[in-house]
Amino acid sequence: MAEGILLEGEETPTQPATLRFITPQQAELTITEGRYHQVKRMIAAIGNRCEALRRVAIAGLALPADLDEGDWRYLTPSEVDSLLDR
């Protein structure tokens, strides 16, 4: 993961990713790009499978822990500004 992974059907490897195990069955994966089903494909490429995913941040913005699956909210003006400053 730290060096990137060449996914099946792709011509270039993924950008390096950070993988941290929380438990033997649960890990935190930090990626900097978003290819088609990238996380599931990266996990499969190292010989395992992904049973569930939960996005906790996007573009440097942490998602609220109480934001249920499928829910959304408007960005605050400061959040918009932080994205525009990137």
Side-chain angles (χ1 to χ4, degrees):
M1 299 277 178
E3 297 174 7
I5 293 177
L6 183 60
L7 300 173
E8 186 175 330
E10 301 276 345
E11 295 183 10
T12 58
T14 63
Q15 293 293 313
T18 304
L19 179 65
R20 180 177 71 89
F21 284 94
I22 298 167
T23 69
Q25 295 82 29
Q26 187 178 20
E28 177 182 87
L29 181 64
T30 303
I31 60 174
T32 58
E33 62 181 342
R35 298 185 188 186
Y36 179 76
H37 291 285
Q38 180 176 344
V39 171
K40 290 179 181 182
R41 293 169 64 205
M42 290 175 78
I43 298 298
I46 61 169
N48 216 320
R49 71 180 189 282
C50 179
E51 294 185 1
L53 290 174
R54 182 169 192 279
R55 184 186 303 261
V56 296
I58 185 167
L61 296 175
L63 299 177
D66 62 348
L67 190 66
D68 290 331
E69 184 177 335
D71 283 352
W72 62 277
R73 67 166 179 82
Y74 288 105
L75 296 176
T76 66
S78 63
E79 290 170 333
V80 172
D81 290 343
S82 72
L83 293 172
L84 295 175
D85 292 339
R86 289 184 77 156

